[in-house]
Amino acid sequence: AQKITQTQPGMFVQEKEAVTLDCTYDTSDQSYGLFWYKQPSSGEMIFLIYQGSYDEQNATEGRYSLNFQKARKSANLVISASQLGDSAMYFCAMREGNSGYSTLTFGKGTMLLVSP
Amino acid sequence: EPEVTQTPSHQVTQMGQEVILRCVPISNHLYFYWYRQILGQKVEFLVSFYNNEISEKSEIFDDQFSVERPDGSNFTLKIRSTKLEDSAMYFCASTWMVETQYFGPGTRLLVL
């Protein structure tokens, strides 16, 4: 079974609109973390936002927020007020356990295209 | 702001040759990783490194791969005898806490 599932291969949004990128995860660990990374066409992986399994509030970082629904095992990324520069591949990832050297398991990604 | 750096940005090599990919993690970080991404696919974990030894490795990380932290700043990935299927983007990452992993810009390896 996939540990991280991103069901949207591609998403289109108009500039200044909000967009939600879906992510569901599968783990039996009680302690885990969820991450979102942005990968523009240049290839680098840019860390966006993190949510710990014990965090009671949804994480926010500027225009990014993470809609964490623990019972549903979902960790959707919400980008408010989309900009042209948001066009990129977006990956959801999970760290299982609470160790610093726990590895990340990535989903297949969602390509976001922002149009003027 | 400190960042992970990687060299070279691109590497082209012949099948069977050895390559060494270099990374300089963020200076106060304790945990180091290599991941790879075959073109158009998801990022896959290769190996993690802590306290000068491998802490975890994936099934991809077979005997042709090795990692080293030779001088307290560099972190290298060596592929002894490259194969066509080793062509990928290789990312180094580092962290000192569980809340994030910072990735370098990647080395794009092409094996001919």
Side-chain angles (χ1 to χ4, degrees):
Chain A
Q2 295 284 332
K3 292 209 171 198
I4 295 286
T5 302
Q6 295 181 254
T7 57
Q8 307 153 315
M11 288 285 284
F12 294 90
V13 67
Q14 278 204 308
E15 208 177 359
K16 299 178 186 172
E17 291 186 350
V19 63
T20 297
L21 306 184
D22 294 342
C23 173
T24 58
Y25 60 92
D26 182 27
T27 181
S28 55
D29 282 4
Q30 295 300 307
S31 177
Y32 53 90
L34 297 152
F35 301 73
W36 278 92
Y37 286 85
K38 173 184 178 181
Q39 186 177 42
S41 57
S42 50
E44 71 266 34
M45 294 288 286
I46 302 168
F47 167 72
L48 296 178
I49 197 166
Y50 167 83
Q51 180 84 42
S53 58
Y54 294 119
D55 295 341
E56 293 185 351
Q57 294 205 328
N58 287 342
T60 59
E61 288 287 347
R63 293 186 300 111
Y64 303 108
S65 60
L66 199 151
N67 184 1
F68 181 46
Q69 298 188 42
K70 197 169 181 177
R72 296 179 61 188
K73 293 190 173 179
S74 75
N76 299 340
L77 177 70
V78 181
I79 305 174
S80 63
S82 299
Q83 302 171 355
L84 295 178
D86 293 335
S87 293
M89 196 75 169
Y90 288 80
F91 291 97
C92 179
M94 177 172 63
R95 182 209 77 241
E96 293 180 279
N98 203 33
S99 167
Y101 54 75
S102 298
T103 64
L104 296 184
T105 302
F106 284 81
K108 293 183 177 180
T110 296
M111 175 65 79
L112 176 66
L113 290 177
V114 181
S115 61
Chain B
E1 186 174 322
E3 55 186 23
V4 178
T5 60
Q6 290 185 244
T7 54
S9 58
H10 294 78
Q11 173 100 44
V12 181
T13 190
Q14 295 288 326
M15 192 169 55
Q17 294 296 304
E18 175 182 286
V19 295
I20 297 176
L21 310 182
R22 291 183 167 81
C23 168
V24 179
I26 296 172
S27 63
N28 63 339
H29 286 187
L30 303 175
Y31 307 95
F32 315 111
Y33 311 82
W34 284 101
Y35 293 83
R36 79 171 186 192
Q37 185 183 32
I38 294 171
L39 188 63
Q41 298 187 22
K42 64 179 179 181
V43 177
E44 300 174 293
F45 165 71
L46 291 177
V47 65
S48 59
F49 194 85
Y50 169 71
N51 202 24
N52 283 319
E53 61 183 23
I54 291 173
S55 45
E56 191 176 346
K57 59 184 180 180
S58 72
E59 61 274 10
I60 302 169
F61 193 87
D62 60 23
D63 291 344
Q64 71 162 342
F65 291 92
S66 61
V67 289
E68 216 176 28
R69 189 158 158 81
D71 57 11
S73 62
N74 289 286
F75 180 49
T76 62
L77 174 70
K78 183 192 291 186
I79 310 175
R80 287 191 185 81
S81 178
T82 50
K83 297 181 267 198
L84 296 176
E85 54 265 38
D86 293 329
S87 295
M89 179 79 103
Y90 288 80
F91 291 104
C92 173
S94 71
T95 190
W96 64 274
M97 55 183 178
V98 297
E99 286 83 11
T100 191
Q101 286 186 20
Y102 292 98
F103 280 67
T107 293
R108 204 175 290 274
L109 176 66
L110 178 61
V111 182
L112 301 176

